Amino acid sequence: MSRLLIIGCGGVASVAVHKCCQNSEVFEEIMIASRTVSKCDALKEKLQPQTRTKITTAQVDADNTDELTALIRSYQPDAVLNVALPYQDLTIMDACLAAGTHYIDTANYEAENTDDPGWRAVYEERCKRLGFTAYFDYSWQWAYRERYEKAGLTALLGTGFDPGVTSVFTAYAAKHYFDEIHTIDILDCNGGDHGYPFATNFNPEINLREVSAPGSYWEDGKWVEVPPMSIHREYEFAGVGKKDMYLLHHEEIEALARNIPGVKRIRFFMTFGQSYLTHMKCLENVGMLSTAPVTFQGRQIVPIQFLKELLPDPASLGPRTVGKTNIGCIFTGIKEGREKKLYIYNICDHQECYREVQSQAVSYTTGVPAMIGAMLVLTGKWKKPGVFTTDEFDPDPYMDALNRWGLPWTVEEDPELVP
Ligand code: NDP
């Protein structure tokens, strides 16, 4: 019998829970535990009548390792799926170690308060040493490798779409199509329209911090950092059409640069419309994207958290969003002495996702891979002691599961390359 503890109950968690409930053979019991237990209860009430998976709920503060450890010890899950926020990665990893449980997440650790002097000293040393200034990186979680190895536990990091599926696509291309991969371009296109002048498709704080930061890419063994949104390209996406896209820093670049031998360049592009960029620039210019607390009418508030209150809840975008996403990777390299180009991508339709699980495609394309990662750990197909990203396992069972659980992919030979 397998039992999964799911932490967080936002947009991504909701999809992951729906998918676990469709897959009762593997997920016989799940517990949804989050800060606001009423959200967990509402999801249970909706899904319990339609599934054989036994659902329970709990309230937990995932910033508190002792509280988490006690919850894990009392529920005794086979694994914990963290779909709360990247801020909670380390406390949840600590609790899994303390309680002896496998750990799975969808995004790498990020500090909530980037003004904390202890965190900043480590961060600034890393910026100098590695040459990129993103607030998130794998070093914090890779540092758990030995402890997970010794405990005989698996930590599977970043099993969303990007990171997650994009790294599985890379492992699949390396296994079946290339002798050497030389370049990887990860393209994340959201052709969806929610009808609001401005809204983010997942947690606004995490999203806006990511896209307002400098871009960077990996080339010839080192990071190259560029000002935010300064590298622009146009690309014709299957199922969506022509879109503007911009180079961003993204976490899977770090893992792929380490794990794909001989790779010369890795870039990540995301599509944005002009209106989104204008809103974001304006919010940034007036200080609304700051994570540093300010005093307002006698109390401390964090501007970006206040902004999150004003923006539409990403979970509410589902019914209004129309159009498709197309996310995938373009590879170049060598096979049997010949140059080769390949594109692997998934197209996902916002309205189809909504009909199936009442969420838009951005939550769907993250929540489905979260369920798949948890399934592969629980069934032992992806289980080995240590801390790993999704490119470090056999990609085949994951690729099969994508086809089966709602994210079918296409392999295109000889695609148009990004200049
Ligand atoms: P949401 O903001 O919708 O949900 C976050 C959930 O975590 C909420 O239920 C929230 O509780 C809960 N939470 C936050 N803090 C705590 C805490 N201290 N204790 C307990 N619960 C807490 O975020 P999303 O669902 O959009 O994103 C979830 C994760 O998925 C994030 O880590 C995000 O970075 C990642 N992600 C990964 C992607 C990928 O492709 N790899 C793409 C998109 C997202 P409450 O309801 O009380 O606010």
Side-chain angles (χ1 to χ4, degrees):
M1 186 177 79
S2 62
R3 192 181 271 179
L4 182 71
L5 170 59
I6 299 171
I7 300 185
C9 194
V12 173
S14 170
V15 176
V17 168
H18 274 81
K19 285 292 179 180
C20 289
C21 289
Q22 291 176 10
N23 189 2
S24 305
E25 246 170 62
V26 172
F27 301 96
E28 289 162 292
E29 296 190 9
I30 59 170
M31 173 183 272
I32 319 166
S34 191
R35 179 168 55 193
T36 312
V37 73
S38 56
K39 289 191 193 169
C40 312
D41 291 336
L43 200 52
K44 175 185 167 177
E45 206 169 299
K46 175 183 169 205
L47 290 174
Q48 191 61 90
Q50 326 161 8
T51 179
R52 283 187 289 116
T53 302
K54 181 169 179 243
I55 309 170
T56 45
T57 63
Q59 202 274 329
V60 75
D61 175 7
D63 291 320
N64 183 327
T65 301
D66 291 340
E67 212 179 284
L68 283 165
T69 308
L71 181 70
I72 299 171
R73 288 205 171 117
S74 74
Y75 183 59
Q76 305 217 327
D78 300 292
V80 172
L81 172 62
N82 166 16
V83 269
L85 296 177
Y87 307 148
Q88 282 88 43
D89 286 5
L90 303 188
T91 46
I92 302 176
M93 285 183 87
D94 284 331
C96 284
L97 270 178
T101 310
H102 304 293
Y103 170 87
I104 298 137
D105 72 24
T106 64
N108 72 11
Y109 173 66
E110 192 165 338
E112 185 156 18
N113 177 7
T114 51
D115 293 320
D116 173 58
W119 177 86
R120 210 150 247 286
V122 176
Y123 164 76
E124 273 162 14
E125 185 281 324
R126 190 221 74 203
C127 291
K128 260 198 223 128
R129 184 166 39 87
L130 295 182
F132 69 93
T133 57
Y135 284 145
F136 48 89
D137 74 278
Y138 275 114
S139 64
W140 300 88
Q141 292 180 279
W142 280 339
Y144 283 70
R145 189 174 301 149
E146 217 174 292
R147 278 172 284 164
Y148 269 73
E149 270 168 13
K150 281 205 180 114
L153 295 173
T154 302
L156 174 60
L157 307 185
T159 178
F161 207 106
D162 42 341
V165 176
T166 49
S167 299
V168 176
F169 283 172
T170 306
Y172 188 76
K175 181 174 174 181
H176 298 286
Y177 289 93
F178 287 91
D179 296 326
E180 282 170 43
I181 292 181
H182 292 163
T183 68
I184 308 172
D185 276 335
I186 303 161
L187 310 190
D188 179 332
C189 163
N190 183 1
D193 180 7
H194 46 59
Y196 285 117
F198 186 73
T200 63
N201 290 299
F202 68 98
N203 185 284
E205 191 176 334
I206 306 296
N207 186 209
L208 291 168
R209 273 170 71 158
E210 176 178 278
V211 303
S212 58
S216 58
Y217 59 97
W218 177 262
E219 192 167 47
D220 297 329
K222 57 182 191 321
W223 289 94
V224 181
E225 187 158 272
V226 296
M229 305 292 172
S230 58
I231 299 185
H232 163 246
R233 300 282 186 273
E234 224 181 34
Y235 198 79
E236 179 81 37
F237 288 93
V240 176
K242 202 172 255 184
K243 288 276 166 192
D244 288 321
M245 60 184 191
Y246 297 83
L247 184 136
L248 298 183
H249 174 82
H250 223 247
E251 65 198 65
E252 64 266 57
I253 301 178
E254 209 190 341
L256 293 173
R258 201 184 65 154
N259 296 334
I260 304 298
V263 68
K264 293 182 169 59
R265 190 188 69 200
I266 313 173
R267 304 183 295 184
F268 179 98
F269 290 91
M270 192 177 272
T271 61
F272 295 99
Q274 203 47 53
S275 164
Y276 183 97
L277 295 180
T278 308
H279 277 82
M280 197 183 73
K281 196 78 217 148
C282 173
L283 291 166
E284 188 179 21
N285 286 343
V286 297
M288 282 303 287
L289 302 190
S290 171
T291 54
V294 294
T295 305
F296 176 71
Q297 296 185 343
R299 61 173 292 214
Q300 294 260 295
I301 60 164
V302 176
I304 198 165
Q305 287 176 359
F306 177 65
L307 174 64
K308 176 176 187 271
E309 285 309 303
L310 300 179
L311 292 176
D313 178 358
S316 72
L317 300 178
R320 341 174 15 120
T321 308
V322 294
K324 292 182 171 73
T325 61
N326 177 330
I327 319 176
C329 307
I330 300 176
F331 306 98
T332 67
I334 303 283
K335 180 74 177 173
E336 284 155 7
R338 284 221 189 96
E339 288 196 5
K340 186 173 175 65
K341 303 187 269 179
L342 194 84
Y343 192 5
I344 311 181
Y345 58 85
N346 160 263
I347 298 175
C348 193
D349 184 286
H350 285 285
Q351 283 295 298
E352 277 175 24
C353 297
Y354 188 72
R355 275 193 292 278
E356 184 194 328
V357 299
Q358 294 74 57
S359 291
Q360 34 81 2
V362 175
S363 302
Y364 191 90
T365 51
T366 312
V368 173
M371 179 281 284
I372 291 172
M375 172 175 74
L376 294 180
V377 171
L378 288 181
T379 55
K381 287 187 178 148
W382 274 24
K383 198 188 268 175
K384 52 186 181 186
V387 176
F388 304 99
T389 43
T390 56
D391 47 281
E392 295 180 273
F393 293 90
D394 177 9
D396 293 353
Y398 200 109
M399 294 294 274
D400 290 344
L402 288 169
N403 281 333
R404 168 150 188 225
W405 294 103
L407 294 175
W409 39 272
T410 301
V411 174
E412 186 184 318
E413 302 265 358
D414 218 19
E416 183 200 346
L417 296 182
V418 179

